[in-house]
Amino acid sequence: TVVVAETAGSIKVAVVVCLLRGQNVLLGRRRSSLGDSTFSLPSGHLEFGESFEECAARELKEETDLDIGKIELLTVTNNLFLDEAKPSQYVAVFMRAVLADPRQEPQNIEPEFCDGWGWYEWDNLPKPLFWPLDNVVQDGFNPFPT
Ligand SMILES: CC(C)CCOP(=O)(O)OP(=O)(O)O
Ligand SMILES: [Mg+2]
Ligand SMILES: [Mg+2]
Ligand SMILES: [Mg+2]
């Protein structure tokens, strides 16, 4: 038990936003200790007292200045980051959202964390994908309504 206790890392919850506009989804290339220079959906740590929807709207606004309209829960995945300096585990809550105003364009509000945002078709996603996203894509996940 002591061994497990010594190696146990933190478990956090991240909310991940599949922001859909027509046939496109918003992705940005991360600048971060986790997944540096890989393409990811807007995402962020769930903060104490927040609902998943509130976190999605807050993180999207913080990172892109975009205002979310309708939003719903899609799926949840469990991601172990064991080969990092500090092991961690993220439960990723994937939400689907649309813009309140579809004419709004994303701004790169946190250039220290993101190279910039772009719209991509699901079957034409940029590479390399941030591995938690790549995992769900490989498993056939598709955020677009069928
Ligand atoms: C695993 C990953 C989704 C971790 C949390 O996402 P993030 O690094 O974008 O977090 P913040 O936007 O809250 O800084
Ligand atoms: Mg953030
Ligand atoms: Mg955050
Ligand atoms: Mg983020």
Side-chain angles (χ1 to χ4, degrees), residues 30 43-44 59 63:
R30 287 173 65 85
S43 65
E59 286 286 347
E63 300 185 353

Side-chain angles (χ1 to χ4, degrees), residues 35-93:
D36 190 48
S37 88
T38 64
F39 287 89
S40 177
L41 300 160
S43 65
H45 293 81
L46 186 67
E47 291 176 3
F48 184 77
E50 270 186 324
S51 68
F52 296 148
E53 293 78 4
E54 286 164 344
C55 178
R58 176 184 54 74
E59 286 286 347
L60 191 73
K61 187 72 176 171
E62 281 178 5
E63 300 185 353
T64 69
D65 198 30
L66 290 172
D67 300 300
I68 263 181
K70 189 170 172 299
I71 180 160
E72 58 194 315
L73 173 67
L74 281 184
T75 191
V76 180
T77 65
N78 191 17
N79 305 273
L80 273 168
F81 293 85
L82 294 180
D83 49 6
E84 307 287 334
K86 209 164 151 354
S88 66
Q89 183 169 347
Y90 276 91
V91 172
V93 178

